[in-house]
Amino acid sequence: RGESRAKTLLCYLGPKQAEALAAADPDLPEILDHGPISTPLVWVLNQVHGLCGNYGVAIIALTLLVRLLIHPLNRMGQISMMTTGEKMKRMKPRLDEVQKRHKGDAKRLMQEQSKLMKEEGMTPFSPVIGCLPMMLQMPILFALYHVFQTAVELRGSPFTLWIRDLAQPDTVLSGIPFLGNLNPLPIVYCALTIYQMWQAPKPADPQMAQQQKMMM
């Protein structure tokens, strides 16, 4: 009552860069905790940029490095899926015969199918196991996306040709009727994705082949 108190508050307005934060206060760089996976990725990104001086090249190098590190997981998953596909292809005539023989007996059908899969060294989870290595790399890919989405270092950084700001869309034409803006990179990305899907090996299982056809 009748008293006045004064407090001094430190307010930082600026980019979330380690150097700028440390210059304002030695404790402020602690807010740059991107997570256990994203933090080292940001560090590698900045180290590569220090060598080449171009964040576009640094992004490509970081992406290639991540893909190289997770290649064993990708390879493991591909081998598992190919092996499972070959076994399912060999088993298909026998599975069809068992389904016809025990069409009205679901319990016996399951027993016979399990017996056939056991003879081939498979389990009911074998088709899913091939996807596990791909699932294990998802946290790394999400962390990489987080780095590119939140790294303030990319703001205003040019790459090459028409790409003048890595934090902005690569617009080359704007105000196009019915389209708006023309951004070449999403078009190139879509084309490469469709090409990769088109080149993917055709599954032996008719149901999986139909699903792949629907995706295309």
Side-chain angles (χ1 to χ4, degrees):
R1 297 175 179 178
E3 295 181 357
S4 62
R5 297 181 181 181
K7 288 187 178 181
T8 301
L9 301 177
L10 175 64
C11 181
Y12 172 80
L13 299 176
K16 290 174 65 176
Q17 289 178 305
E19 298 82 3
L21 291 170
D25 188 289
D27 295 329
L28 278 180
E30 295 180 3
I31 69 174
L32 292 176
D33 185 13
H34 298 285
I37 300 178
S38 299
T39 299
L41 291 178
V42 172
W43 183 84
V44 173
L45 181 69
N46 289 327
Q47 294 302 310
V48 177
H49 173 261
L51 295 175
C52 64
N54 188 308
Y55 271 113
V57 176
I59 288 174
I60 294 174
L62 176 61
T63 305
L64 290 176
L65 177 62
V66 170
R67 298 296 296 182
L68 183 64
L69 291 176
I70 64 179
H71 174 72
L73 289 175
N74 281 332
R75 184 63 177 166
M76 190 186 307
Q78 290 172 354
I79 293 175
S80 177
M81 292 178 69
M82 289 177 61
T83 304
T84 302
E86 291 173 358
K87 290 181 178 180
M88 292 296 293
K89 187 176 182 180
R90 288 198 305 266
M91 291 171 52
K92 189 177 185 311
R94 300 168 65 188
L95 286 173
D96 292 341
E97 182 181 347
V98 168
Q99 287 176 352
K100 291 179 181 179
R101 191 186 311 156
H102 305 287
K103 187 176 181 180
D105 191 346
K107 183 177 179 181
R108 186 65 185 276
L109 176 61
M110 290 292 295
Q111 292 176 345
E112 293 296 325
Q113 287 178 336
S114 299
K115 183 180 177 181
L116 285 177
M117 296 183 74
K118 189 175 181 180
E119 291 176 359
E120 287 288 343
M122 296 176 60
T123 68
F125 302 101
S126 294
V128 183
I129 292 176
C131 300
L132 270 180
M134 298 182 183
M135 295 298 295
L136 291 175
Q137 64 179 293
M138 291 304 292
I140 301 176
L141 298 179
F142 280 127
L144 191 63
Y145 175 78
H146 175 77
V147 169
F148 295 152
Q149 186 183 39
T150 60
V152 71
E153 291 86 353
L154 304 182
R155 183 177 181 182
S157 297
F159 177 37
T160 185
L161 299 176
W162 71 93
I163 305 173
R164 298 302 178 187
D165 188 347
L166 291 171
Q168 296 291 332
D170 63 318
T171 304
V172 293
L173 289 175
S174 58
I176 303 175
F178 306 107
L179 292 178
N181 300 332
L182 175 62
N183 304 320
L185 285 182
I187 298 174
V188 173
Y189 176 78
C190 290
L192 290 175
T193 301
I194 294 173
Y195 176 76
Q196 287 180 333
M197 293 176 62
W198 186 265
Q199 293 297 317
K202 302 297 184 290
D205 185 13
Q207 185 176 358
M208 294 182 64
Q210 181 65 24
Q211 290 178 353
Q212 187 184 58
K213 184 178 179 180
M214 291 174 63
M215 288 292 294
M216 283 297 298

